[in-house]
Amino acid sequence: MEFMLTEEQQLIEDTVARLLEKQWDPRRDQALLSADVARLPLWHELAELGLLGIALPEEHGGGGMGPVELTVLCRRFGRDQLRSPFLSSLILAGTALTCSPRGALRDQWLRRLAAGEATLTLATLEDGAGYDHHHTAIEGQRCQPGYMLNGRKRAVMDAAGADAFIVSCRLDGELALVLLAPETEGMAVAPYAAFDGSSLATLTFNDALLPEEAVLARGAEARAALEAALAQGALAAAAETLGACEGALERTLDYLRLREQFGTKLARFQALQHRASDLHADLEMLRSLVSGAAQSLIHEPSHADAFAAMALAVPVGDRVCREAIQMHGGIGMTLELGIGRYLLRVNALSRLLGDATYNGQLYLERMEA
């Protein structure tokens, strides 16, 4: 398998790195919630460069590129600690839209997403479902204009600034994906901030009116679209975790080379060398699995390797980022240094897209299938 970036993929990484270096400072912008980033000039410049819609179809203004290019982008976001609606809007919601049946509503929103004119988010998690995005208990009741929805969706990413929501529910006994605007009658959005600076929200439906034309997909088509979105999201989260680990370890090694104790550089202490080499080995294993999953998503309909990558990313991300803080000593705990933000982000991703056990189970189920 080829793990080296092509010339085009390297250009994507270099472009994003230069852009973030100029326009993003995680220490300066630490008070910003992820949803707020969509209103910054940085977001619109990413759209103008064609990077926001990198995985969206070309006929709708997207880049038409594949999972490999997506992982390049997400790795750089993780390394530079960019909090944004990219995962929720362009990956989860964007993939669900792309895999839904063709229609004017779908095409309109895909074009707006690629142009950076709007953000969407995917609302799937429900109370009592744990990490299971496939569990859908909200049932639409037939009424004259369409359906009435009652229930609640929790931990909806970047809902505070979203222009619309793609919601999973059941209509006439089968799974459906529907698109609702924030001003939908009977729907309430209660936003709150997560511990990593992400913007989350709870959606409550109290006889919320769902018109028939808002239905994007039903039955097998809805299941396929949701599965593709979750697999793409797992790969993107694993790639972002990889980037966060790379950034944390790189900064830690630089610190060990500079800091002295008892007149000796910390990097010369054998115990710290062994710990750093163990972390490097963990990163190489994760890097291989993320690269392999990106390649397999191009060809494998089961999406199994994407969930395997996320299953490994959760423990590796937690271990590498905790070790980075510990090897910095007391200064590693300070907000000003910011090394702890890597840990906050990788733990937030594992709580939104599932822990190692959950993603490992998804991998096994798809391999057996």
Side-chain angles (χ1 to χ4, degrees):
M1 184 177 294
E2 180 60 60
F3 292 109
M4 298 294 292
L5 296 181
T6 65
E7 192 173 320
E8 184 178 34
Q9 292 161 359
Q10 187 63 57
L11 179 61
I12 292 172
E13 179 166 5
D14 294 343
T15 301
V16 177
R18 287 194 298 269
L19 181 60
L20 293 181
E21 184 179 7
K22 291 179 182 177
Q23 298 198 27
W24 178 254
D25 184 344
R27 288 173 294 184
R28 180 197 66 204
D29 301 323
Q30 62 185 353
L32 283 175
L33 293 177
S34 56
D36 298 331
V37 175
R39 293 189 285 271
L40 296 180
L42 168 63
W43 187 257
H44 300 291
E45 191 156 348
L46 285 169
E48 289 174 1
L49 291 169
L51 296 173
L52 279 189
I54 193 170
L56 299 182
E58 286 185 88
E59 61 265 29
H60 299 104
M65 297 186 181
V68 177
E69 289 77 14
L70 177 65
T71 59
V72 170
L73 196 60
C74 291
R75 274 178 67 183
R76 178 48 63 175
F77 288 165
R79 180 184 282 261
D80 292 338
Q81 299 182 341
L82 177 67
R83 303 182 305 275
S84 76
F86 185 78
L87 175 60
S88 59
S89 183
L90 279 303
I91 304 305
L92 291 170
T95 303
L97 264 184
T98 301
C99 297
S100 296
R102 291 184 174 273
L105 185 65
R106 164 190 179 269
D107 296 345
Q108 170 197 344
W109 281 99
L110 281 174
R111 282 191 292 270
R112 294 188 66 190
L113 282 181
E117 297 172 356
T119 59
L120 294 176
T121 189
L122 186 64
T124 51
L125 286 176
E126 297 184 6
D127 294 334
Y131 298 121
D132 190 3
H133 292 262
H134 299 85
H135 175 84
T136 306
I138 294 180
E139 183 85 31
Q141 303 298 320
R142 274 282 184 184
C143 65
Q144 185 56 40
Y147 297 88
M148 287 288 189
L149 294 181
N150 286 281
R152 199 165 76 147
K153 295 289 185 179
R154 61 178 178 85
V156 182
M157 290 187 278
D158 302 306
D163 296 282
F165 308 97
I166 296 178
V167 181
S168 61
C169 61
R170 294 197 171 276
L171 301 178
D172 303 322
E174 59 182 7
L175 179 67
L177 294 179
V178 301
L179 192 141
L180 295 174
E183 60 273 13
T184 297
E185 183 181 351
M187 184 177 73
V189 182
Y192 58 95
F195 55 79
D196 70 324
S198 296
S199 174
L200 302 178
T202 299
L203 302 187
T204 303
F205 303 98
N206 185 15
D207 287 339
L209 179 61
L210 169 66
E212 190 76 49
E213 59 270 18
V215 179
L216 293 170
R218 291 173 178 264
E221 292 175 332
R223 285 193 299 273
L226 181 59
E227 177 72 10
L230 294 175
Q232 197 88 308
L235 177 64
E240 186 176 342
T241 299
L242 172 61
C245 292
E246 290 172 339
L249 184 57
E250 184 180 282
R251 289 178 60 177
T252 302
L253 295 179
D254 288 342
Y255 177 77
L256 296 180
R257 295 186 189 104
L258 292 174
R259 185 78 167 89
E260 288 188 7
Q261 195 171 40
F262 309 115
T264 305
K265 300 285 188 186
L266 290 180
R268 296 182 64 84
F269 289 12
Q270 193 174 57
L272 293 178
Q273 291 175 358
H274 289 171
R275 287 169 69 180
S277 64
D278 287 344
L279 298 181
H280 178 74
D282 288 340
L283 270 188
E284 285 300 313
M285 184 163 56
L286 178 58
R287 187 177 293 115
S288 298
L289 195 51
V290 168
S291 298
Q295 295 286 346
S296 70
L297 260 187
I298 302 173
H299 309 291
E300 290 291 335
S302 69
H303 305 131
D305 286 348
F307 298 112
M310 189 58 187
L312 181 62
V314 172
V316 168
D318 185 75
R319 182 165 57 250
V320 170
C321 294
R322 286 183 186 275
E323 284 283 278
I325 294 172
Q326 206 280 331
M327 284 194 279
H328 273 83
I331 195 175
M333 299 295 292
T334 63
L335 185 63
E336 289 78 11
L337 184 69
I339 197 74
R341 281 193 293 269
Y342 290 115
L343 178 63
L344 294 178
R345 181 56 178 166
V346 300
N347 282 344
L349 288 173
S350 72
R351 284 155 177 77
L352 292 169
L353 294 171
D355 60 11
T357 302
Y358 173 72
N359 281 283
Q361 185 62 38
L362 290 180
Y363 166 74
L364 292 176
E365 289 173 359
R366 280 143 188 80
M367 289 301 293
E368 290 173 359

